Amino acid sequence: MAAQMTDAHRRFLQVLMSHGIMEGSEARKLHKCCCEIHKVYYAHDKLDHFITTINSHLQPLFMQIRKGMSEGDGRAHYALVNLAETEITKLASDYAENELELFKKTMDLIMLSENGFASSTDILNLADQLKTKKMKKKEAEQMLKVFVENKWLSERNGEYTLHTRCIMEMEQYILTNYPDTARKCNICHTLAVQSQVCESCGTGMHLPCVRKYFKAQTEPRCPQCNTTWSCDIPGACLRDSQSPSGTWRAEKSFTLSAR
Amino acid sequence: MLSSKSNRLTEALEEANKLFSGVSCAREAALDAQFLVLASNLGKEKANELHSEMAAFDSLVFAEDLLTFMGINRIEVEENNNDSEGISAGYLPSNAWHKLGEETEKYFRRAPSFHYMLGSFKSDPPVPKQRIERQKKMTGEEGIRAMPAQLKKMEESHQEATEKEVERILGLLQTHFKNDPETPISFFDLVIDPNSFARTVENIFHVSFIIKDGLARLKLDDDKLPIIEPSKDESREDDHGAGIRNQAVISLSHQEWKEIVETYEITEPMISHPSHRNEDQMDIA
């Protein structure tokens, strides 16, 4: 028997709906705030139970509050995602058909790239090839900005990758539609768009997962094939990238700023 | 008619409406249209008058009030005659917009809408792509390294080959003369190779070096046929000292070569073929 939704739940849901995605600590703050405003019982570790209540009511609407991990810093995020793919969801989209086509092509580029990033130049060059309705480069650039604002893409140094929100919502879609190129993290078994790959056995891992896994180990070894892991371990020590002589190559060297 | 209290305009319009039903010809319809235009102009003026009863919305004053509400910190501005009086200068505190947002929250009751990406577009069936072989790149053995062809041995460069040839011929000449000091060698006997015209030309070329260095001399004998004999050292110095240089151009055509071979009955060359032409040896590692 599902617990009843109180106004605190509703407020939480509405705020999350307008944000789209919220970072873990923000979500906890919001939880506290909602409970206080509506004088509902609050316990700081009951956020997940709180969310489960909401989810049980969202289920018939094919919506869900999901918890996921950001690929950049490894932090937990909560996002409100859609689960249904029907004719109606196609109609109710925010974007025009050619804009969606641009997004889809961007996603193709990102998934096919080695490091999970697509350069803005490549994306803009696609603008001419849209089948539904051609888009000028200026419009495409504008559209990319809109996607970033709405947290579907994130931009770094002129390159675009999928935002955590997009990955959380589209994970199943990506795994179904890109069966060959999509890669799962060996540690947490979720989709990994940006990953480090062991060259001899091809296992991939999220960068924060790599960091956590190799934290304790003095000699980083691949969990599958046990050969030395030579990609730079992100953020571990302040060592400069000592790429050991050998035949490995780092797919993406990524150093996180020390927190 | 324009006063807001009277309904005269509306009544006039209704009357025109009634009259229009009886209209049959175009001129009357045109008059009716003209009347409507007039009536709408009057209506517009009436509406304008309506506004003048209300206080007008002054956006500048509103902006000022807004800034004050947001807690602007006004700066003491220097006397600046160009600026108009009413403009306030200052900077807003960091929470200024939040404050405004909180206040306006009361007046808007809008539920957020749900934005999503999944299901927006049709998912095409996955294109069977060729599996991008990112895994299992066998970089094990590096493969046989191909080095560029290296020069391991260099027997003779062509430069040195010429010199060696020249020396060989000189040696031949001297040996010949040692054996037979009185008989100068006929030039043609020496250089002509009955088997190869090219060899002949080469021989002449080599002999010319010898002559140039003064180690041999070319003369015309009694029969006016050229003969060659090695020269002694003193003559060499003389030549150098005198600075006399005699030059001769010898031309030999294929036809002439054949004739000479026949006339002189040369059967075998005096200057033998070098045993094996040594080429640069290349070693491919």
Side-chain angles (χ1 to χ4, degrees):
Chain A
M1 169 122 125
Q4 280 292 70
M5 282 242 300
T6 65
D7 279 346
H9 292 94
R10 294 186 191 102
R11 184 179 279 264
F12 184 90
L13 177 60
Q14 285 195 6
V15 175
L16 187 57
M17 201 186 279
S18 65
H19 280 92
I21 184 170
M22 279 179 108
E23 201 257 316
S25 57
E26 260 184 84
R28 279 185 282 279
K29 252 192 287 188
L30 178 63
H31 174 217
K32 181 163 187 218
C33 175
C34 292
C35 289
E36 279 169 9
I37 293 179
H38 296 282
K39 310 215 183 5
V40 167
Y41 168 69
Y42 169 72
H44 71 274
D45 54 347
K46 289 280 203 260
L47 176 60
D48 286 328
H49 180 255
F50 192 78
I51 289 178
T52 318
T53 316
I54 303 178
N55 274 340
S56 59
H57 288 266
L58 288 178
Q59 200 189 12
L61 303 168
F62 302 103
M63 288 158 60
Q64 193 189 39
I65 299 182
R66 257 190 213 165
K67 187 174 179 189
M69 182 187 76
S70 152
E71 291 197 333
D73 51 16
R75 288 193 164 160
H77 286 260
Y78 293 90
L80 183 64
V81 299
N82 178 32
L83 301 176
E85 289 184 73
T86 66
E87 285 299 319
I88 299 177
T89 57
K90 258 192 289 245
L91 290 171
S93 168
D94 298 326
Y95 306 106
E97 223 186 314
N98 61 343
E99 293 164 358
L100 285 173
E101 204 192 332
L102 179 69
F103 184 78
K104 189 156 186 299
K105 284 197 168 4
T106 309
M107 205 160 60
D108 289 340
L109 270 182
I110 290 172
M111 290 316 298
L112 288 173
S113 77
E114 286 208 350
N115 62 348
F117 279 85
S119 79
S120 57
T121 327
D122 294 334
I123 301 172
L124 289 177
N125 287 340
L126 292 175
D128 297 328
Q129 299 161 19
L130 295 178
K131 291 196 204 85
T132 43
K133 183 178 157 204
K134 290 209 201 308
M135 210 188 251
K136 294 197 203 98
K137 298 244 192 312
K138 197 84 184 140
E139 290 169 16
E141 207 177 3
Q142 196 53 37
M143 213 50 229
L144 285 175
K145 260 199 226 132
V146 170
F147 284 137
V148 172
E149 264 169 38
N150 292 343
K151 301 184 196 148
W152 298 116
L153 294 175
S154 68
E155 188 251 335
R156 193 185 75 169
N157 294 339
E159 297 194 312
Y160 291 90
T161 188
L162 300 178
H163 198 278
T164 314
R165 180 186 187 187
C166 188
I167 296 175
M168 281 165 71
E169 185 161 326
M170 309 281 282
E171 181 166 350
Q172 254 329 100
Y173 173 91
I174 290 175
L175 289 172
T176 341
N177 285 46
Y178 301 95
D180 302 324
T181 49
R183 169 169 289 158
K184 276 194 174 181
C185 172
N186 197 266
I187 310 260
C188 59
H189 301 288
T190 53
L191 174 68
V193 174
Q194 301 170 34
S195 57
Q196 280 193 359
V197 179
C198 170
E199 208 177 87
S200 73
C201 64
T203 42
M205 294 204 268
H206 285 122
L207 285 92
C209 291
V210 166
R211 188 159 45 106
K212 247 190 305 187
Y213 186 73
F214 290 140
K215 204 193 276 198
Q217 301 183 18
T218 42
E219 220 195 292
R221 288 188 165 276
C222 170
Q224 288 291 94
C225 64
N226 218 33
T227 27
T228 318
W229 190 266
S230 80
C231 310
D232 298 336
I233 313 290
C237 345
L238 293 171
R239 52 174 135 131
D240 303 322
S241 47
Q242 330 156 327
S243 22
S245 59
T247 51
W248 310 111
R249 80 186 147 85
E251 225 176 48
K252 183 178 188 305
S253 53
F254 187 97
T255 10
L256 294 173
S257 55
R259 298 239 159 245
Chain B
M1 205 187 255
L2 285 181
S3 123
S4 57
K5 300 225 185 342
S6 90
N7 264 351
R8 251 327 261 140
L9 191 54
T10 323
E11 285 166 15
L13 275 168
E14 279 173 4
E15 205 181 315
N17 224 7
K18 253 187 282 182
L19 285 170
F20 192 75
S21 49
V23 153
S24 55
C25 56
R27 183 74 197 112
E28 288 155 21
L31 282 169
D32 181 68
Q34 220 171 345
F35 167 69
L36 279 176
V37 170
L38 201 61
S40 61
N41 283 338
L42 287 171
K44 187 171 122 190
E45 280 197 37
K46 199 166 171 187
N48 279 341
E49 276 188 33
L50 204 58
H51 272 299
S52 63
E53 291 177 11
M54 275 171 27
F57 174 72
D58 188 349
S59 44
L60 282 172
V61 172
F62 179 65
E64 281 290 324
D65 288 341
L66 209 56
L67 284 172
T68 320
F69 174 75
M70 288 202 275
I72 187 171
N73 300 310
R74 290 171 199 276
I75 318 176
E76 292 293 321
V77 186
E78 291 294 318
E79 277 298 319
N80 197 342
N81 294 328
N82 291 337
D83 274 299
S84 56
E85 296 272 337
I87 294 180
S88 61
Y91 57 92
L92 288 170
S94 54
N95 68 338
W97 290 103
H98 284 97
K99 216 163 157 198
L100 181 63
E102 279 162 17
E103 185 60 32
T104 52
E105 213 182 333
K106 305 175 191 152
Y107 303 99
F108 291 93
R109 288 174 172 233
R110 220 179 47 146
S113 57
F114 179 46
H115 302 281
Y116 57 88
M117 191 53 88
L118 183 70
S120 307
F121 40 83
K122 221 188 314 195
S123 55
D124 302 324
V127 180
K129 249 187 155 55
Q130 256 210 338
R131 213 194 161 85
I132 299 173
E133 279 298 323
R134 293 211 264 172
Q135 311 159 358
K136 300 200 194 292
K137 267 209 181 117
M138 295 310 279
T139 41
E141 9 156 352
E142 285 169 335
I144 299 169
R145 279 200 184 173
M147 291 285 287
Q150 282 180 340
L151 225 51
K152 278 275 161 81
K153 246 183 343 174
M154 212 167 76
E155 286 271 337
E156 280 159 10
S157 72
H158 291 296
Q159 279 292 81
E160 291 166 10
T162 319
E163 281 177 24
K164 281 222 159 94
E165 276 293 300
V166 169
E167 278 172 28
R168 195 168 67 88
I169 293 172
L170 182 61
L172 243 168
L173 201 60
Q174 286 173 334
T175 325
H176 203 85
F177 246 72
K178 229 185 295 178
N179 300 338
D180 202 0
E182 291 311 306
T183 334
I185 310 173
S186 155
F187 179 68
F188 290 125
D189 275 334
L190 178 65
V191 295
I192 297 279
D193 180 343
N195 304 321
S196 158
F197 177 60
R199 267 310 281 154
T200 308
V201 175
E202 260 186 71
N203 292 338
I204 298 176
F205 175 63
H206 293 141
V207 167
S208 70
F209 274 98
I210 302 175
I211 297 172
K212 175 194 79 143
D213 288 334
L215 298 167
R217 268 183 307 185
L218 199 61
K219 293 201 295 214
L220 289 179
D221 68 0
D222 307 320
D223 297 324
K224 299 279 190 223
L225 294 168
I227 51 165
I228 187 165
E229 57 186 21
S231 60
K232 308 267 186 328
D233 287 306
E234 328 97 25
S235 4
R236 204 151 53 124
E237 284 175 31
D238 276 347
D239 278 3
H240 280 277
I244 300 169
R245 300 196 104 203
N246 294 322
Q247 294 182 354
V249 178
I250 303 173
S251 73
L252 190 75
S253 75
H254 202 259
Q255 190 57 36
E256 287 170 8
W257 169 67
K258 279 226 171 89
E259 283 171 10
I260 292 172
V261 170
E262 278 171 36
T263 320
Y264 279 72
E265 290 169 9
I266 304 171
T267 46
E268 50 178 62
M270 238 184 168
I271 302 174
S272 56
H273 230 283
S275 49
H276 176 65
R277 202 155 275 216
N278 293 318
E279 286 166 12
D280 302 336
Q281 287 224 356
M282 300 234 274
D283 207 331
I284 299 174

